[in-house]
Amino acid sequence: MKIKHLVAATGLLLLSASCTKKAVYEYPFQNPELPIDERVDDLLNRLTVEEKVGQMMNNTPAIERLGIPEYDWWNEALHGVARAGQATVFPQAIAMAATFDDEALYKTFTMVSDEARAKFHAYQKNKEYDRYKGLTFWTPNVNIFRDPRWGRGMETYGEDPYLTTQMGIAVVKGLQGDNEKYFKTHACAKHYAIHSGPEWNRHEFEAEVSPRDLWETYLPAFEALVKIGNVQEVMCAYNRYDGQPCCGSDRLLIDILRNGWNYKGIILSDCGAINDFWVKDEKIPRHETHPDAESASTDAVLKGTDLECGNSYKALLKAIEVGKITEKELDVSLRRLLKGRFKLGMFDPEELNPYTQIPHSVVESPKHVAQALEMAQKSMVLLKNKNNILPLNKSIQKIAVVGPNAADSTMLWANYNGYPTHTVTILEGIQKKVPNTKVIYELGCNHASDFVIKDLGNHISSISGQGFTSEFYNNTDFEGEPVHKGRAIHLHYTTGGNTQFAPNVNLTYFSARFTGVFEAPTTEEVEFKLSGNDGFRLFINEEKVIEVWGTEYGTERTYKLQAKQGKKYPIKIEYMQRKGSADLNFLVGTRQPVDCNATAAKVKEADVIVYVGGISPRLEGEEMPVNVEGFKKGDRTNIEIPKVQKEMIKALKATGKPIIYILCTGSALALNWEETNTDAILNAWYGGQEAGTAVADILFGDYNPSGRLPITFYKSVEQLPNFEDYSMKGRTYRYMTEKPLYPFGYGLSYTHFTYQNAKLSASTITKEQSVTLTFDITNTGNRDGDEVAQIYIKNPNDPKGPIKALKAYKRIQVKAGNTERVNIELTSKAFFSFNDNTQSFEVRPGKYQILYGSSSDDKDLQTIQLEIK
């Protein structure tokens, strides 16, 4: 007797005989015992041309006749599984770069891929196949953070090619796993190539670089991720290079990536990048290098872009009809795409794939939360500690905590984020650390505005508790059943950076309704401020008081209500989104000008003032609807602390009390006044869900700070070339001749380390040989701590090259009073120089300086000579 099983997820038809248990498959492509290439060819030959084109866009439709479900290639995991509900939120990428610990980063992304697999299989069981529920993750971002004005720099691993390379490899290996047969997930090296702002013109911008800068700075991480990391996907960037959009670049995609590096994996476009080839848009200037969608799509495919994030590739059907491209040429891309899915195990029985056994309980498990805390601790950089004011004594009587980032949880998530069940704010972390200390909290000011709205949001309630009842629909007319219901305490939403409003909700063409009741705490004028784009409405007492349609980014409307104490006012907000990035913000409160002196007066009795400021991922990020002084579309026009915050901290300084500055940022800031006038500065970045605990651990000495800057902190934009100039001249520690505020690799500790007894395994080597540098690190203080030993090469034989360049680093724990021996091997590649004539790398004979120490600053480095013959 035979039992028939139909596995819908793969279209697998099993005929199980009770005696032999031998599987029989309806189609050869379903048979996991066959070679993958044979299975790919079988499936490919069964597809119609319409089905083939459908499989070349990120949202691939189901092929029901073959039992293949739909699949969306688009997923994100920049610092944890993103945009799909609960997940552990680790510190932002730039923060994790500050750990200088690629082993810890590998461990972190092994956890991320565990959560990814567990969530994927849960979705598969529920037949949920939509966006952010697949196994193909578009991370890491290994662009070089060449200019601190770039808003997306927070997504990178800093300004140095070597550090970026090591960190990128760790991420790729952690995501993709080490199984011989199956990839755990896909990683994706992005954005290829020469892409690091500005955001406001990225759809039309042409990056111009010298061959030296291309090969020495912008390409090394991509090459390493392909050749060493075996990354399975590469995303081409929006910008142009050498006259061609990157997703249609002969030089980048064919000459370098496919032919030069022998890359066999998938190339995909950044979202909407193919549209930039041909769409004419008065509001958003684009490349317009091609006359129509057929020509643009054909060119992209023939250059090697297999998968489009977008819908221009629909035009490939017409392109075939008119003879611009053949079905056989499409098959080249289809083979890569299908092979990728086979290698992920998407067409195989789950019992064959060990990754299917990862339990869902790993998602935000205690072990993963503990790792989020460890990464936050390791990432934070102590920039100043005057008279060793830190760590603070836990018996302190009264602490004041002031500033816009003190009680802000979503700021700590940064962008491209998941949703933790709980986030420890910096205020909460301090309160928990010293429960017997009186902690005074004052907002003081917002990030950049000269007034504050006394937030009355806590006076809004719904049936489910404080805040609004929320309903989301994947259409613009509130039709059918909501795709998500919940409760919203704060209405601050944006899809900038492609972040969903809520799980299962589209990025475009959706609507949202928020209902609640406002009970006025006093009799006074109350402002209801609603801002966003597309369409939004506000109802109070069932009367429509605001209605806006077809708005641009940041359109703001305010309704003023003469409220009476104790009266209840029903509120309903409706939002209708159609195109572009969505944005909705709501605030109810009474307007008050920022009064720095009044805030200072409220906290002047404290023993110490902790100011938690900086900027926010709501101000810097990907092509954002932000037009605030100092900021532009997600980028910055300067690197100063916003004026209102400077005035606030000056007033706090005037109290005469010690000022501890906790800086939250994704990029470098000009902290000249703060460096001179505050007592301590701790750069906490956007530290993830455990950032508050990590800050408190450092402030009170339960963790010895050990983060190091992966970027240079400049004194002002006057030290920088033009933002749109991609030449490396004068940029980063590698080419900067002026003195920065804080150098690359810099970071203080609560202890002190000395370097001594350095020697090389040989004083002279040949071009092909390696050399080992050995030295001792002694902890001469009274606290255990981690030191990050950094090795730089200065090559006098290459006057056009970098002043110095990082070639190795090692994070090492040294107990108080102890000495640790460090051995670091430098291969011949560490001594490469670029030959401008041959446009290739070589090792030139001559004498080299090997610099070793605690930062890139010459005063922190010692030198040992090596001769290469």
Side-chain angles (χ1 to χ4, degrees):
M1 176 180 172
K2 294 182 178 179
I3 303 172
K4 189 176 183 180
H5 302 272
L6 179 64
V7 183
T10 61
L12 175 64
L13 189 64
L14 300 179
L15 299 177
S16 301
S18 58
C19 54
T20 64
K21 304 290 186 181
K22 184 175 177 61
V24 178
Y25 301 92
E26 186 174 3
Y27 305 111
F29 78 83
Q30 298 167 335
N31 186 351
E33 296 180 5
L34 294 178
I36 281 185
D37 288 340
E38 187 175 328
R39 298 174 71 188
V40 168
D41 285 342
D42 176 70
L43 176 54
L44 188 59
N45 290 333
R46 297 180 189 280
L47 301 181
T48 66
V49 67
E50 291 80 8
E51 289 168 339
K52 289 179 179 180
V53 170
Q55 297 297 304
M56 294 179 68
M57 291 171 281
N58 66 285
N59 186 12
T60 63
I63 307 174
E64 294 181 1
R65 64 187 181 85
L66 298 176
I68 297 175
E70 64 181 286
Y71 181 72
D72 199 316
W73 288 79
W74 187 348
N75 211 341
E76 304 286 356
L78 181 62
H79 53 117
V81 178
R83 303 176 182 168
Q86 182 187 0
T88 308
V89 178
F90 295 93
Q92 179 58 289
I94 192 68
M96 291 196 284
T99 68
F100 277 69
D101 192 341
D102 39 314
E103 292 180 4
L105 193 64
Y106 170 77
K107 179 181 178 182
T108 297
F109 273 87
T110 298
M111 293 179 176
V112 172
S113 57
D114 280 350
E115 294 194 12
R117 267 289 176 176
K119 291 169 74 71
F120 170 75
H121 292 292
Y123 294 137
Q124 291 291 298
K125 286 180 174 63
N126 294 327
K127 295 181 170 56
E128 297 179 40
Y129 306 126
D130 47 321
R131 185 172 297 167
Y132 308 128
K133 295 177 180 176
L135 289 174
T136 44
F137 290 93
W138 295 351
T139 197
N141 182 341
V142 290
N143 292 132
I144 295 300
F145 195 3
R146 67 184 177 92
D147 192 302
R149 287 168 287 195
W150 185 35
R152 294 191 73 180
M154 72 168 95
E155 302 171 23
T156 75
Y157 296 95
E159 69 183 38
D160 181 74
Y162 180 80
L163 179 63
T164 298
T165 294
Q166 299 306 111
M167 291 292 179
I169 290 172
V171 171
V172 170
K173 289 187 174 181
L175 284 176
Q176 295 189 166
D178 57 4
N179 186 270
E180 292 185 1
K181 184 173 182 180
Y182 296 107
F183 283 103
K184 195 176 184 184
T185 72
H186 275 190
C188 175
K190 69 181 188 183
H191 309 82
Y192 181 74
I194 327 165
H195 177 70
S196 54
E199 286 295 300
W200 67 77
N201 63 359
R202 64 184 186 170
H203 300 284
E204 62 167 336
F205 182 72
E206 178 160 2
E208 298 179 5
V209 297
S210 67
R212 176 182 286 271
D213 285 342
L214 177 69
W215 287 100
E216 281 191 340
T217 299
Y218 294 110
L219 292 186
F222 287 100
E223 182 176 7
L225 264 59
V226 167
K227 292 182 175 180
I228 300 172
N230 192 28
V231 70
Q232 290 299 291
E233 298 181 22
V234 172
M235 177 186 285
C236 46
Y238 287 113
N239 54 285
R240 286 197 314 278
Y241 167 66
D242 201 20
Q244 296 177 313
C246 290
C247 292
S249 169
D250 296 276
R251 180 78 174 120
L252 294 176
L253 301 188
I254 297 176
D255 295 348
I256 296 174
L257 184 57
R258 293 289 190 200
N259 295 338
W261 298 343
N262 197 31
Y263 177 63
K264 303 296 185 185
I266 294 163
I267 299 175
L268 62 121
S269 79
D270 207 337
C271 297
I274 307 304
N275 281 22
D276 292 343
F277 287 29
W278 65 279
V279 170
K280 293 175 174 57
D281 190 331
E282 293 180 359
K283 295 179 181 179
I284 305 176
R286 302 175 188 266
H287 299 307
E288 296 184 31
T289 51
H290 295 68
D292 49 46
E294 307 92 76
S295 301
S297 300
T298 295
D299 195 28
V301 172
L302 293 179
K303 298 295 174 55
T305 303
D306 307 303
L307 182 77
E308 182 206 10
C309 180
N311 56 20
S312 284
Y313 274 14
K314 290 179 180 179
L316 287 170
L317 290 173
K318 183 176 179 181
I320 290 175
E321 289 178 9
V322 299
K324 290 181 180 289
I325 194 170
T326 66
E327 185 176 348
K328 185 177 180 180
E329 286 169 325
L330 293 189
D331 288 349
V332 175
S333 289
L334 263 297
R335 282 192 171 85
R336 288 191 281 255
L337 293 168
L338 294 176
K339 185 174 183 178
R341 294 181 67 179
F342 276 109
K343 289 285 286 181
L344 285 165
M346 292 184 180
F347 300 97
D348 291 359
E350 284 195 351
E351 60 268 21
L352 297 181
N353 189 334
Y355 297 128
T356 65
Q357 307 306 311
I358 298 172
H360 198 272
S361 59
V362 302
V363 177
E364 207 185 3
S365 63
K367 182 179 178 182
H368 290 192
V369 173
Q371 183 69 7
L373 172 59
E374 179 182 329
M375 294 304 284
Q377 291 169 330
K378 287 183 172 182
S379 73
M380 294 182 182
V381 185
L382 184 61
L383 298 174
K384 180 181 180 180
N385 192 17
K386 181 181 177 181
N387 298 325
N388 295 321
I389 188 172
L390 295 180
L392 299 173
N393 194 315
K394 291 180 184 176
S395 63
I396 194 168
Q397 295 298 304
K398 189 183 294 185
I399 295 175
V401 180
V402 182
N405 284 329
D408 190 340
S409 59
T410 58
M411 171 275 302
L412 298 172
W413 300 350
N415 68 350
Y416 282 89
N417 58 279
Y419 303 96
T421 54
H422 179 69
T423 302
V424 183
T425 65
I426 293 171
L427 174 63
E428 182 185 350
I430 292 171
Q431 289 169 329
K432 286 184 175 180
K433 181 63 67 173
V434 284
N436 298 321
T437 297
K438 183 176 182 180
V439 178
I440 306 165
Y441 167 64
E442 288 289 328
L443 170 65
C445 63
N446 292 318
H447 292 99
S449 56
D450 60 1
F451 63 89
V452 292
I453 298 293
K454 183 181 179 182
D455 190 358
L456 300 179
N458 60 335
H459 293 276
I460 295 175
S461 60
S462 61
I463 296 174
S464 55
Q466 184 185 346
F468 292 92
T469 296
S470 60
E471 298 175 317
F472 295 88
Y473 302 78
N474 279 339
N475 58 73
T476 58
D477 300 308
F478 303 95
E479 294 178 345
E481 291 296 314
V483 295
H484 178 79
K485 292 183 178 181
R487 184 160 61 97
I489 303 297
H490 304 289
L491 267 58
H492 299 294
Y493 292 101
T494 181
T495 59
N498 301 313
T499 300
Q500 292 174 293
F501 270 31
N504 302 316
V505 178
N506 293 339
L507 290 175
T508 57
Y509 290 94
F510 68 90
S511 51
R513 180 181 289 126
F514 306 92
T515 55
V517 175
F518 171 70
E519 183 174 352
T522 57
T523 298
E524 61 182 322
E525 184 176 84
V526 176
E527 291 190 10
F528 293 81
K529 183 172 296 189
L530 197 59
S531 67
N533 64 319
D534 286 344
F536 51 82
R537 296 187 285 245
L538 172 65
F539 299 80
I540 296 179
N541 282 333
E542 299 184 358
E543 177 187 356
K544 184 165 53 181
V545 295
I546 292 176
E547 181 171 26
V548 174
W549 288 95
T551 65
E552 298 297 325
Y553 291 133
T555 298
E556 183 176 279
R557 297 289 185 272
T558 299
Y559 177 75
K560 296 179 180 179
L561 173 71
Q562 303 303 319
K564 294 183 179 181
Q565 184 176 5
K567 186 173 181 179
K568 294 183 178 180
Y569 300 87
I571 298 173
K572 179 171 66 174
I573 297 169
E574 293 183 337
Y575 179 62
M576 297 73 65
Q577 203 283 335
R578 286 179 171 78
K579 63 180 181 178
S581 294
D583 184 55
L584 178 68
N585 294 279
F586 173 75
L587 184 65
V588 57
T590 56
R591 179 180 292 222
Q592 299 174 347
V594 170
D595 191 334
C596 299
N597 292 329
T599 299
K602 292 178 182 178
V603 301
K604 67 180 181 180
E605 299 304 322
D607 298 305
V608 64
I609 300 172
V610 178
Y611 180 77
V612 191
I615 51 179
S616 164
R618 291 190 287 275
L619 291 172
E620 61 172 345
E622 181 179 4
E623 201 175 12
M624 297 171 68
V626 173
N627 280 300
V628 176
E629 184 179 356
F631 299 87
K632 181 179 180 181
K633 299 287 186 181
D635 293 326
R636 287 184 289 156
T637 56
N638 63 56
I639 58 173
E640 303 297 321
I641 292 288
K643 181 180 177 181
V644 66
Q645 292 192 60
K646 279 188 174 292
E647 295 303 317
M648 179 59 67
I649 201 163
K650 286 179 181 178
L652 297 176
K653 171 72 175 177
T655 65
K657 296 302 173 69
I659 307 294
I660 312 299
Y661 197 120
I662 308 299
L663 181 71
C664 299
T665 180
S667 49
L669 293 166
L671 303 169
N672 301 288
W673 188 91
E674 292 77 8
E675 164 63 23
T676 302
N677 293 280
T678 63
D679 295 274
I681 303 174
L682 178 68
N683 184 4
W685 308 103
Y686 304 134
Q689 69 184 80
E690 288 295 304
T693 302
V695 166
D697 287 343
I698 292 172
L699 287 182
F700 293 96
D702 289 336
Y703 186 85
N704 190 349
S706 56
R708 302 293 184 264
L709 292 179
I711 49 178
T712 298
F713 271 50
Y714 301 88
K715 292 179 179 179
S716 75
V717 292
E718 300 302 317
Q719 290 188 319
L720 288 164
N722 184 287
F723 188 11
E724 297 181 47
D725 180 0
Y726 266 70
S727 167
M728 289 305 297
K729 183 179 180 181
R731 293 188 184 279
T732 76
Y733 81 93
R734 294 166 64 233
Y735 289 97
M736 185 181 183
T737 56
E738 298 180 58
K739 183 177 177 59
L741 180 64
Y742 303 117
F744 174 89
Y746 172 80
L748 301 176
S749 171
Y750 292 156
T751 190
H752 183 69
F753 301 97
T754 62
Y755 291 70
Q756 52 194 347
N757 302 324
K759 65 177 183 178
L760 293 171
S761 58
S763 59
T764 303
I765 60 173
T766 65
K767 296 179 183 180
E768 295 78 21
Q769 287 182 308
S770 299
V771 67
T772 299
L773 173 64
T774 303
F775 51 85
D776 293 334
I777 297 179
T778 301
N779 182 341
T780 59
N782 57 10
R783 287 177 177 269
D784 298 346
D786 283 9
E787 170 67 330
V788 178
Q790 301 161 46
I791 314 301
Y792 299 85
I793 301 295
K794 184 176 287 189
N795 184 1
N797 310 291
D798 185 13
K800 294 182 180 179
I803 297 168
K804 64 172 78 77
L806 182 71
K807 296 299 179 181
Y809 57 84
K810 187 175 181 64
R811 186 184 183 106
I812 185 167
Q813 186 176 69
V814 188
K815 294 187 178 297
N818 284 10
T819 297
E820 294 290 338
R821 192 77 163 160
V822 177
N823 295 285
I824 294 180
E825 182 183 19
L826 298 169
T827 67
S828 60
K829 189 174 181 181
F831 304 98
F832 273 4
S833 298
F834 187 76
N835 187 315
D836 293 286
N837 295 322
T838 64
Q839 294 193 19
S840 62
F841 288 102
E842 63 184 12
V843 178
R844 297 177 184 174
K847 293 183 178 180
Y848 291 75
Q849 296 177 19
I850 300 176
L851 314 176
Y852 61 97
S854 59
S855 89
S856 64
D857 195 324
D858 285 342
K859 70 178 179 59
D860 295 327
L861 295 168
Q862 298 180 51
T863 303
I864 192 167
Q865 298 284 345
L866 173 72
E867 184 174 4
I868 299 180
K869 292 186 176 181

